[in-house]
Structure formats: C-alpha cells, structure tokens
Amino acid sequence: MSYGGTNVPHVTDDQSMPVVVPGGSAEAEHTVPARPTGLDPQELGFTPKKPIGWLAPLLLLSTGLRALLAILFGAYLDKRELQNALDADFFDHSATADGELWLDYVADLGDGFDATYSIAWLLAQPQLTVDGAALPRGRLLLMGGDQVYPLASGDGYESRMKGPYRAALPEAPPGEPRPTLFALPGNHDWYDGLTAFLRLFARRKDGHIGGWRTEQRRSYFAVKLPGNWWLFAVDEQFGAYIDDPQLLYFEKAAREVGPDDRIILMAPSPTWVKAKDNPEAYDAVDYFIRTILAPTRAQVRVLVSGDLHHYARYTGEDRELITCGGGGAYLLGTHKLPPKLVVPPRETMTRSRSRSREYELVSRFPDPSTSRKLGWGVFHRIQRRNAGFATMLGIIHTLTMLPMAGAARQGGSIQRLFSIPLLLMLVLILAGTVLFAKPPGASSAKHARHWILGVSHGLAQIALAAGGTWVWLRLPFQEWAWPGPFVVAAILYGPVIAILSTQLVALYLLVASTFDVNLNELYAGQGIEDAKSFLRMHIAADGTLTIHPLGVDQVCHQWAADPEGEVHTPWLRPEQPLTVHRIEPPIAVAGPGTSRP
C-alpha cells in the first residue's frame, strides 16, 4: 500500500504557486492553492454555510419528497449493483514501521460550517493532548455516513464537507505517510442514488480531499489493519438489504480473515438501538455477520455507526456497540436511550438469527440531565433557528382567522362556521399536525400515540386560532373597509400569532418527546451546534485496540485566516478556545489471542 500520493486540488494560475511537498516515500513538485487571507468564499474556494433550519417549510417539503422517492424508487436509483464493475480489492494498511496504527472516526458532519470545521480542525491537528496523554492524528480517517445535509449534491459536498476538510488539512504533512480517508454513505448521501458520493469519494484519478487521500472505489470497503484487526464497512440502502455484488466483495475479502482475527464493523445506522422499536431493523447487519464474518471464526468486537447525533456505548460479554454521530450536525438528546438492549431482538421474525445477547448502556454524551435541559431550550431556539417555519404558521393562522371571524360576525346558524375556506384551513391544520407526528403503520405497537398526539396538537392549534379570532373581533380593525382588515391582519396579527403558534409547537414537541414521538424534531428544530464527538482509536503492537471517545462541549464561532502558515497547516485557526475532553475512560478491546481486558 503506497502512501506517497501528492495529488492536490486544481486551482487557477493566479491563485497558486509551485512547491515541493514530501509525501511518504517520494517527493513531487505540484501546484497548491495560495493560502486565503480572509474568509472570502472566492479565496476559500467554498462558501461557509450556516446551520440548516430543519423546520424550514421548503426544506421539509423537498427532503420529505426526496425521502419518499428514495423509498419508493430506491431500487431503480440503487447504484450498488453497477459498482460490481469497479475494483473489488480490499485495502491493506497493516504494514506500519512500529506495528501500530491510529485511526479516527467521525460521522454526521456536513451541516453548519462552525461545527463541521471545529471537528475537522481537531482531526487535522498533528496530535491532541487529553488529560496529559498525547493522541496522534489518525493515519486513517473513517467517515461513518451523512457527509452532507440536507440533500446530496456536488455543491452541497463542496461547501459543507470537502471545503471545510480541505481548509483544515490543505496538504499532506511533510515527512509523514499521507493520511487516508474512507467514507461510508448514510441516508442523506443516498438521496441522489449515490451519484455525488461516488464522484467525490471513489475517484480513480486525483482522489483526495485536501491532505487526505481517498482510495475506495465503491460505497463499501474492507481494510486490513495491523495486529490482525480488520475493518468492514457495510452499505445498507436505507436499511433495506445488502446487495449481491457487495456480499461477493466481502466474501472475497473474508477469505483473508483468520480465526484469530478481530473485526470492527462500520454500519450507517445504529440498528441495534433502532431494533428496540423495529425488531427487523437489525436483520441486515445480523445477516452480514452470520453469513460473511461468522464462517471465518474471527470475532466481531466493535460495531460503530453514526446517524444518531450523539455518543452512546452499549457493552456486552464480547462486543462494544458504539454510536458516535457528533461530527457537526445538530445534537440529538440522549435521555431517552434504553438502558439495556437485546441484540438481535427476540421479536424479529428471522428464524436463523444469531444468538441474542444483552447489552448495557454504560456511557453517553451529553449526559441525561444536560440532554433534558437542552430539550427545554426549544422555546427560545425554535423561532431563532426556523424563521421560515414561524412565518408559515403565521400565514396559516391568519388565513384561518379571517374566514373564522367572517363567519362569527354573520351570527345565526352554526352551519355558517363551516364555510369552504374555513373548512379547508381546519383540514390543513389537522392533516399537517398528524403528518408532523409521523404515525407508523398500523402494525406498529406504538402507532396510536402518534395519532393521538398529532390530533391533539391540531386541536390545540385550532383552539389558538379561535382564541385569536375572539381577540380580533374585539379590535377596531375588523370594522374597517376592505382591504384594511386584511392589511392589518398581515402586518400586526400575523407576526403575533406566529410567535404564539411557534411556542405552541415547542410545547407540543416537549410533551410528545416524553412519549418517544418527534424526539428528533425537538432537537432538530433547535439546531444545537455544541456537544460534538468523535473517536480516536489506537491499535498497539500487541494487537490491543484502545478507543478514545472525545467530546467537544462548545464549538468555535470565530475564525481567523492564517495566510503565513505552512502549506499543510489549517487555513483558518480558532479565535475562541476549542477544547477536547474524554467522554469516558479509554476502552481497551483485547487483541487476537488474548483475553478481554
């Protein structure tokens, strides 16, 4: 395996200069970008993005449609079958000078610039000192999924992932082996059928992201590591199934695995957690372990994934189940995580499943009390992060109030209240709140609570509209000649009712989350950038794997350009303290031929 690649991004002549950069065993003269003198997108080559407002109406609509199309027509968009024509070799990173290897793992990273670049900057540092221990930068950088939000596209990857990581490590460190990057797609990478993902991470020519070299040729990969360790990264398309070419690829790689080897398995989603509510969720991973890995007699000691935007670790008699999705996307609370898991779940319909084992939740970040406290922040964050959502609610309530006020002024029969415009608005409110609660199918044991909470939320919004109408009818504006009332309603009533209805949504999210409904929306609507996490792993010469879960309480929001820095140092440096700490003590996993520490 060669580490001597020195490919760099193409830049125009007026922005570049020729330099000689050592990269492993060889030196090559090539053109590198001139270092930016500020945060101008023209100099950076990308546009730093703000955090996504996940409740923005158009975003909700477009993401929902993309997700629906991916689910309905995913088989037609699935490019994994076509990948059978690409290179099918596994990657050998087992040969190192001292028999050791450092690896980094990060997932869910392509959101707002401040959070994404904060983690990228930390990952790019030559070493991190934590509790007095020096943790060198990983020779391998593993990205566990959702490298871009909200939808996969070339521009999205450039601004939300590739640009920040290139700025953090513009060039390969001189005199050192060039670090290598492997990426596994998540559901957001899948929304275009993997087109943009493969163009970025599986390039045959000029494959690199800044100083990191990309080697993979498919959306899944197997890597041989030192100390008889292996890394297998499985691509599940929305958790549906593992395609036949992928199984053939891993069968070929598994022929090299010995009975004394140990395996780290990367998955795009922590299906071991999701299987608590959906017993079939873990079936694909279990099938892969039973049919591909179990025949080798090697032990799968670690399962790791992102997708849920926090850190959590479950431990069992012979395996660690780790979720680490803190690479940049909004924080997801941890206080609703189940204290124990049975994996595979006994309720699954798969007759030949593996033996079920119990796992205990031993660590999480943030801790439950902090998680609950952050949940209460929805009242002041939801409007600030989602101005478009509040505007939409204001418009809906205004359009509901006007026909409701008109019907009330006419008096007489109650039938007047059921005018067509008013009926349409009431149906729209009820349908919207029920859909927002995302009721599962009737076969789900918990589908009733989604319907009850969704309908209750809709009735609460209608009650708020009735209360707003009562107040409106006591104001002088409603007596003015048309279009006076409409103009005042748009200018005065709309903004006020928008604030009140958004606060009602916040109250609904807080209540619903206690019943495990809309828990994701409670935190997505807040867009919390802090409490980020990643893993730094070390394989020692004796084969012991040590996992260092690292947390960042606060990301940086103030950056300064470093135009005089060396070519391999970050373009931007933090002007605020960027501190990393241990989430929990290092996790030692026994190497081949040894008992568990």
Side-chain angles (χ1 to χ4, degrees):
M1 178 59 64
S2 172
Y3 291 92
T6 54
N7 294 321
V8 296
H10 171 76
V11 293
T12 57
D13 292 338
D14 61 338
Q15 293 180 305
S16 60
M17 56 183 179
V19 296
V20 175
V21 177
S25 60
E27 293 187 354
E29 182 177 324
H30 60 276
T31 302
V32 299
R35 295 178 67 86
T37 59
L39 275 69
D40 183 356
Q42 292 294 328
E43 292 190 64
L44 292 172
F46 68 96
T47 302
K49 297 290 187 179
K50 294 182 179 180
I52 295 168
W54 284 99
L55 298 185
L58 292 179
L59 178 62
L60 285 173
L61 180 62
S62 61
T63 305
L65 288 175
R66 288 290 189 100
L68 179 62
L69 290 173
I71 293 171
L72 294 178
F73 303 106
Y76 303 100
L77 300 174
D78 194 341
K79 291 182 174 61
R80 293 179 303 177
E81 300 284 351
L82 300 178
Q83 294 178 54
N84 196 35
L86 303 177
D87 295 344
D89 294 332
F90 68 88
F91 302 92
D92 190 352
H93 284 265
S94 61
T96 62
D98 55 5
E100 301 185 6
L101 183 70
W102 286 87
L103 310 87
D104 290 331
Y105 177 89
V106 65
D108 303 283
L109 51 130
D111 199 332
F113 173 78
D114 288 339
T116 297
Y117 187 71
S118 291
I119 299 302
W121 187 87
L122 290 168
L123 290 169
Q125 296 303 296
Q127 70 178 27
L128 299 173
T129 301
V130 185
D131 293 342
L135 308 180
R137 174 179 51 221
R139 288 266 298 275
L140 299 185
L141 174 57
L142 310 173
M143 291 186 172
D146 287 347
Q147 279 70 237
V148 67
Y149 292 97
L151 304 171
S153 69
D155 291 340
Y157 278 113
E158 185 68 39
S159 294
R160 294 190 180 274
M161 179 268 156
K162 183 179 178 181
Y165 272 76
R166 183 176 66 238
L169 188 68
E171 282 292 313
E176 299 179 19
R178 189 181 185 96
T180 304
L181 185 155
F182 291 96
L184 185 68
N187 59 305
H188 288 268
D189 301 293
W190 258 103
Y191 284 152
D192 71 337
L194 288 186
T195 299
F197 178 92
L198 292 174
R199 286 175 179 172
L200 178 60
F201 295 106
R203 294 174 63 91
R204 290 179 177 272
K205 181 180 180 182
D206 196 31
H208 63 90
I209 294 174
W212 283 284
R213 174 181 179 175
T214 58
E215 292 183 339
Q216 69 193 81
R217 296 293 178 262
R218 304 188 180 198
S219 61
Y220 44 87
F221 46 88
V223 184
K224 185 177 182 181
L225 304 172
N228 286 24
W229 278 92
W230 282 81
L231 171 72
F232 283 77
V234 183
D235 177 13
E236 298 176 78
Q237 185 231 17
F238 296 103
Y241 69 103
I242 302 175
D243 56 292
D244 191 58
Q246 185 172 182
L247 292 174
L248 293 175
Y249 169 87
F250 284 118
E251 283 179 356
K252 180 180 177 182
R255 297 190 192 112
E256 306 295 324
V257 179
D260 293 327
D261 291 353
R262 301 292 184 268
I263 295 171
I264 303 169
L265 179 59
M266 280 176 59
S269 178
T271 52
W272 47 91
V273 177
K274 297 183 177 183
K276 182 177 182 296
D277 294 323
N278 177 18
E280 285 72 37
Y282 186 75
D283 286 352
V285 171
D286 186 52
Y287 176 81
F288 182 81
I289 293 174
R290 284 188 290 108
T291 60
I292 303 298
L293 302 181
T296 68
R297 292 187 294 163
Q299 294 186 24
V300 180
R301 299 304 303 271
V302 179
L303 268 64
V304 62
S305 80
D307 191 49
L308 299 182
H309 305 165
H310 54 231
Y311 172 83
R313 179 171 69 94
Y314 289 85
T315 188
E317 59 181 305
D318 61 351
R319 190 171 295 169
E320 306 294 334
L321 310 180
I322 299 175
T323 305
C324 188
Y330 65 88
L331 173 70
L332 178 64
T334 61
H335 61 281
K336 298 296 290 184
L337 288 171
K340 292 183 182 294
L341 295 175
V342 176
V343 182
R346 299 184 178 93
E347 297 82 3
T348 181
M349 300 298 291
T350 302
R351 297 180 59 186
S352 55
R353 61 176 170 81
S354 303
R355 178 172 65 88
S356 295
R357 296 174 171 88
E358 291 189 356
Y359 296 85
E360 180 182 358
L361 178 62
V362 292
S363 180
R364 55 185 127 178
F365 177 70
D367 61 78
S369 61
T370 302
S371 176
R372 291 188 186 92
K373 182 179 178 180
L374 291 170
W376 279 90
V378 67
F379 292 103
H380 68 85
R381 290 194 188 100
I382 190 170
Q383 289 171 180
R384 183 156 47 90
R385 294 291 193 190
N386 306 275
F389 181 71
T391 301
M392 178 191 71
L393 291 179
I395 293 172
I396 290 174
H397 269 272
T398 301
L399 294 178
T400 303
M401 181 274 294
L402 290 173
M404 191 176 287
R409 278 199 306 270
Q410 294 179 21
S413 172
I414 196 173
Q415 293 180 357
R416 294 183 183 274
L417 292 176
F418 293 92
S419 62
I420 291 179
L422 180 55
L423 253 163
L424 288 176
M425 295 309 300
L426 297 179
V427 170
L428 175 64
I429 291 172
L430 278 173
T433 54
V434 169
L435 290 175
F436 187 67
K438 300 188 295 187
S443 59
S444 173
K446 299 180 179 180
H447 73 282
R449 67 179 63 179
H450 292 261
W451 283 95
I452 293 171
L453 288 165
V455 171
S456 299
H457 180 204
L459 294 176
Q461 292 287 354
I462 291 172
L464 177 62
T469 302
W470 183 87
V471 173
W472 176 259
L473 290 174
R474 278 147 185 80
L475 298 175
F477 312 120
Q478 51 100 13
E479 301 292 344
W480 292 2
W482 184 263
F486 181 80
V487 172
V488 174
I491 296 176
L492 181 61
Y493 181 86
V496 173
I497 201 67
I499 294 173
L500 295 175
S501 58
T502 306
Q503 291 298 295
L504 182 56
V505 172
L507 177 61
Y508 159 77
L509 289 173
L510 200 60
V511 173
S513 66
T514 63
F515 297 95
D516 293 329
V517 175
N518 287 127
L519 178 65
N520 184 64
E521 286 72 22
L522 172 65
Y523 289 92
Q526 300 184 61
I528 300 170
E529 295 181 90
D530 294 325
K532 294 294 169 272
S533 56
F534 61 97
L535 304 178
R536 180 149 287 181
M537 298 180 279
H538 176 230
I539 298 177
D542 65 357
T544 300
L545 170 68
T546 304
I547 303 172
H548 303 268
L550 303 179
V552 180
D553 289 330
Q554 292 185 326
V555 303
C556 179
H557 297 281
Q558 300 293 329
W559 304 96
D562 185 16
E564 303 302 323
E566 298 182 63
V567 293
H568 63 279
T569 60
W571 286 348
L572 307 174
R573 64 174 184 269
E575 288 192 317
Q576 300 170 324
L578 192 54
T579 306
V580 62
H581 64 86
R582 293 191 189 278
I583 296 174
E584 61 172 319
I587 307 153
V589 183
T594 59
S595 60
R596 183 180 181 184

